[in-house]
Each structure stands twice: as structure tokens, then as C-alpha cells.
Amino acid sequence: DTAVSQTPKYLVTQMGNDKSIKCEQNLGHDTMYWYKQDSKKFLKIMFSYNNKELIINETVPNRFSPKSPDKAHLNLHINSLELGDSAVYFCASSQKASGSSYEQYFGPGTRLTVT
Amino acid sequence: AQSVTQLGSHVSVSEGALVLLRCNYSSSVPPYLFWYVQYPNQGLQLLLKYTSAATLVKGINGFEAEFKKSETSFHLTKPSAHMSDAAEYFCAVTPYSSASKIIFGSGTRLSIRP
């Protein structure tokens, strides 16, 4: 049983295209996240949703639009892809409820290559 | 505001030697602290966590870390390195009063020499 899954694992596309990455968690968590990891392994949080509500929205171009249809899913849509968007994108989830220790569980990542 | 500094972007040790990966944090409120490991082409996996209970925390794969408030440190150690420990290691902090965001360090790549 995969706790946090992402699709696709690899995504190669051309500049200007629009693409989506899907994420699902079966841990029953109430909070989900999107991170971007660059070529130097630096992890940067992009968005976070708690119970389908956006709670973190870092300085990210508005070409990136997250969508959470329910607590178990958080998708990421990217418009007009640019070369600089090439990175590995990780989805994660955690439980924000009182008494939790808040550790995050990560998906396997989606390697996006923009040519 | 919280922040994490990992000293040394790359650490290389011989197989069987002590592993020491350094992490210093800054937090205006009591923190929760984590170490994550990322194997090549995989996601991050939780190694261990400090949540204000015991200051010496044991994790998976023989790793442990000690929370030292006076030094604002949370260094990761393993007595004897194994080839399979080669990976990227991330220290992270979140204020226990608010779990909205975890701040990750820049990572330390651990290499193991045969």
C-alpha cells in the first residue's frame, strides 16, 4: 500500500505547454503540500492545503495552481511551462491535529523536464 | 521565525566509521525537529523526530540524534557507517505550536568509502 502516490513519475514536455501532476494520500491526513526540489537538492515549499483550504502559498508564479478536490488529493497544474520549472516536485502529507507530531510523509516525486 | 543550518554540504566517511551530520536550528518557540533521508531518485523518508520528550532520539537504521537546547543543535550520528547509508540527509524544524510549515535545511550528502 503506497501512502503518498504521485503521477506521473516522469514528465518531459516543451516550453509553453500546460501540464498537471496528481497526488493522493491514503493516510487519512488533513494537510497536504507541494515542494519543489532543484538540481542542488534544495527543497522549497510551494503550497499547503488543510482540509481542502489553502493555508500556505509561498512566492510562486501564478502559472502554478494547486487544486484540492478532497482531503486525500492535491493536484498541481502548471501553465505555460518554462525551462526554469524543470525540477523534481514532491507531494507530502501530515496530520495537523492537536497532539500530532506533524511529521510529513513524502511521495516518490515527479521529475519534470522542460525542453 | 525558524531556520535550519546544516554544516557541510558533503560528508565522506569510511565504512564502519562514525557518521556525524551537523544541524543547528533557530526558533523563537519550542521546536519539533526532524531528520529525513533521501535515497537516489526517491522521496524523503523520516529517520527520526524530536517532539520535546527525550532529548536523545533513536531512529531507523541505527541513527540517533541529540537535542541540545543550549547549543541549538540536533546533530545526527551513527556509530558505524554502512554502504547503504549513502544518501542525502535533511534536517528540518517546525514550531510545535503551529504545524503549518516545516523548514528544511539545505541537505548534506553522505558518501561512504569502502
Side-chain angles (χ1 to χ4, degrees), chain A residues 8-29:
Chain A
K9 189 167 174 63
Y10 300 96
L11 186 53
V12 180
T13 188
Q14 292 183 328
M15 284 174 52
N17 285 349
D18 304 338
K19 291 294 179 184
S20 292
I21 307 172
K22 296 188 175 183
C23 178
E24 176 181 1
Q25 55 95 3
N26 62 7
L27 297 168
H29 288 164

Side-chain angles (χ1 to χ4, degrees), chain B residues 52-97:
Chain B
S52 75
T55 56
L56 182 61
V57 181
K58 294 188 184 299
I60 62 172
N61 301 337
F63 284 93
E64 62 182 36
E66 186 172 9
F67 173 71
K68 292 187 176 180
K69 185 178 179 181
S70 60
E71 298 177 8
T72 61
S73 68
F74 191 57
H75 302 330
L76 181 71
T77 61
K78 181 174 180 176
S80 177
H82 192 273
M83 295 300 291
S84 61
D85 294 328
E88 192 86 20
Y89 291 80
F90 293 91
C91 183
V93 63
T94 191
Y96 88 93
S97 59

Side-chain angles (χ1 to χ4, degrees), chain A residues 37 56 58 101-104, chain B residues 36 38 49 90 99-101:
Chain A
Q37 187 176 48
I56 294 175
E58 294 293 298
S101 54
Y102 311 134
E103 66 261 33
Q104 296 183 11
Chain B
Y36 283 84
Q38 184 179 24
K49 61 187 179 188
F90 293 91
S100 299
K101 191 191 303 191

